Amino acid sequence: MKKRIFTQEEIDKVIYNYTILNMGQKRAGVEFHMNDRMVKQLLLENGIKIKTIQEANQSSYKINHHYFSNQGHNQAYIIGFLGADGNISAKDNRIDLELFPADYEILEKIRKEIELERPIKKYECTDGYEKNKLYFYSAQIKKDLMEYGLVPRKAYSKEYKFPYKLKQEYIIDYIRGLFDGDGSVKMTGNSITFQIDSSNKEILINIKKFFQKVYNIDTQITESSKKNITLYRLYCYGEKAKAIYKILYTHDSLFLKRKYDKWQELLN
């Protein structure tokens, strides 16, 4: 089979796509109908270093690396959600958030909020369950999140803390994010109950203080053990839970629709 000859203009564009626009090998040559093998050969012939898998993952998709450098309602919400369901890698600058398909909508909203170009990954676990994962690589975002108390292996780390750096006006958004990940609203007898579960008592103590100081709402914290891990639960019920609902959803901000709909169902 005759080897295809590329023009210098095509070669320059592929190199530009790969090195400047940070496209992967497959995307860099797609406009010229080159597959990834052809692109790799072209790059090597022109003295371009092939990126490692980690380097490619970090650079191939755009993201707002400074999103968490400035405070805001949605930023605080995402910090809370990552605190509940997110993961920060200890080995590299990877951050990921994995949810079931029913909650795909919030992953997509977060993806757009942080200006992440990488699409949500959909896959099936070995146990047959389907999952959706938002993930990206960013040294700056990892650094910023750690300043808000988010650390690798947070469930077992004493460094996982309440985000003291957050301004008071954004703490309710942080709580909503934590609630959407680790909280629930349900009926207990004839009363509606609001609760957040966590392995970190210090975070729940600070939330309890916030509700009391800012809104004069009393909550309780209980303790239990499960598989050698101590778990804590912040909760309240009845009129106090209804009062939390009224302040939990700030104007035009992010929230998990499934849990918001549950509030609506129980309140009505």
Side-chain angles (χ1 to χ4, degrees), residues 198-215:
S198 178
S199 61
N200 190 298
K201 188 176 183 179
E202 180 252 1
I203 288 176
L204 296 185
I205 288 173
N206 277 278
I207 292 175
K208 176 180 173 63
K209 290 179 179 179
F210 171 79
F211 280 138
Q212 175 61 52
K213 177 182 177 181
V214 180
Y215 296 102

Side-chain angles (χ1 to χ4, degrees), residues 224-254:
S224 63
S225 296
K226 183 178 180 181
K227 296 180 180 179
N228 298 320
I229 298 177
T230 302
L231 298 175
Y232 304 93
R233 172 172 294 172
L234 176 143
Y235 74 95
C236 64
Y237 55 89
E239 294 304 315
K240 294 174 183 177
K242 293 178 182 179
I244 285 179
Y245 164 74
K246 291 179 180 179
I247 62 175
L248 194 61
Y249 294 92
T250 57
H251 176 67
D252 197 28
S253 190
L254 294 172

Side-chain angles (χ1 to χ4, degrees), residues 66-185:
H66 293 280
Y67 177 80
F68 292 95
S69 300
N70 299 297
Q71 295 191 15
H73 294 292
N74 287 343
Q75 178 244 28
Y77 172 85
I78 297 172
I79 289 173
F81 209 149
L82 287 172
D85 286 339
N87 176 66
I88 297 177
S89 174
K91 296 180 179 179
D92 52 34
N93 297 317
R94 176 175 169 133
I95 295 98
D96 60 71
L97 181 60
E98 184 178 78
L99 302 173
F100 287 106
D103 296 328
Y104 174 85
E105 180 185 31
I106 192 62
L107 286 182
E108 184 63 22
K109 287 181 177 179
I110 292 174
R111 185 185 73 83
K112 292 179 180 179
E113 178 69 19
I114 63 178
E115 301 173 48
L116 175 62
E117 189 181 66
R118 181 193 296 275
I120 305 299
K121 179 181 180 181
K122 300 180 180 182
Y123 68 99
E124 184 176 300
C125 302
T126 54
D127 56 10
Y129 287 102
E130 293 183 355
K131 287 287 189 73
N132 293 330
K133 179 183 288 188
L134 176 153
Y135 69 100
F136 55 87
Y137 294 78
S138 175
Q140 181 63 46
I141 288 179
K142 181 178 181 179
K143 175 179 176 293
D144 288 339
L145 288 176
M146 292 182 71
E147 291 183 3
Y148 288 102
L150 293 180
V151 296
R153 294 189 286 269
K154 61 183 185 295
Y156 307 97
S157 175
K158 294 181 180 179
E159 298 303 314
Y160 175 40
K161 299 181 183 299
F162 182 81
Y164 294 101
K165 185 179 176 181
L166 270 182
K167 296 178 182 177
Q168 182 171 286
E169 64 188 289
Y170 302 126
I171 292 177
I172 193 63
D173 300 285
Y174 164 79
I175 293 172
R176 187 175 65 258
L178 200 65
F179 165 76
D180 278 352
D182 279 341
S184 63
V185 57

Side-chain angles (χ1 to χ4, degrees), residues 102-103 105 180-181 183 255-263:
D103 296 328
E105 180 185 31
D180 278 352
F255 62 87
L256 186 63
K257 185 177 184 300
R258 174 171 57 84
K259 291 192 176 177
Y260 177 80
D261 289 346
K262 187 65 175 180
W263 276 106

